[in-house]
Amino acid sequence: MMPDRPAPLQHLPQMTFDQMLEKVRYDGAYPTRERAEEAVRLVLSGLGRQLTGDERVELAARLPLEAARLLTEQIPDTEPLTGWAFVKDLAARTGTTVAVTRWDTGSVLATVAALAGPELLTRILHQLPSGYALLFGRAELTQAA
């Protein structure tokens, strides 16, 4: 008797880096592809400093190769940042406003969420400190005290 095999994961077909940039450009209403690429590079590098373990590996496998490199070339921080601190850190690194950086983060992470799929995204959000769900386009549900 053969052991039961798990069902294959269902997620979006692999997209190219160019397709990812176009999706971010369209969803984020960026005027140029270059501006969308700046946002993707900033946010994925930042996420790479926050995410560890199996979730990091699985997410990288679902991203276009160039996007996966941006994520995995970063050494994770020893103290992960909350969602708000993540946005403030990215803004400080680029010298842009927190509002612009928040927009960039949401535009990129919405595409990342679609590529990850709901099950992996839930695991990623359980790993990260509070404040990331909204950045990925999900409601942040907390338990009452």
Side-chain angles (χ1 to χ4, degrees), residues 7 21 32 40 49 58 76 79 85 88 97 100 103 108 116 134 140:
L21 293 179
T32 65
V40 167
R49 290 188 294 274
E58 286 183 47
E79 288 292 321
K88 290 193 314 187
T97 67
V100 168
W103 181 266
V108 173
L134 290 173
E140 181 126 19

Side-chain angles (χ1 to χ4, degrees), residues 41 45 48-49 56 66-76:
R41 289 183 180 286
S45 294
R49 290 188 294 274
R56 177 184 171 107
E66 192 168 342
R69 281 191 190 122
L70 292 168
L71 180 82
T72 59
E73 286 175 348
Q74 304 303 311
I75 297 171

Side-chain angles (χ1 to χ4, degrees), residues 14-42:
Q14 190 72 18
M15 80 173 35
T16 67
F17 190 64
D18 285 337
Q19 290 169 327
M20 182 181 190
L21 293 179
E22 282 306 312
K23 179 162 177 41
V24 170
R25 179 181 177 191
Y26 179 80
D27 292 349
Y30 293 107
T32 65
R33 182 181 183 278
E34 291 74 23
R35 180 63 188 93
E37 186 170 352
E38 287 173 19
V40 167
R41 289 183 180 286
L42 171 72

Side-chain angles (χ1 to χ4, degrees), residues 24 30 35 39-40 42-44 83 86-88 90-91 98-112 131-132 134-137:
V24 170
Y30 293 107
R35 180 63 188 93
V40 167
L42 171 72
V43 174
L44 287 179
F86 176 76
V87 171
K88 290 193 314 187
L90 294 180
V98 173
V100 168
T101 304
R102 169 60 182 91
W103 181 266
D104 290 349
T105 304
S107 298
V108 173
L109 292 183
T111 298
V112 170
Y132 282 88
L134 290 173
L135 298 176
F136 279 98

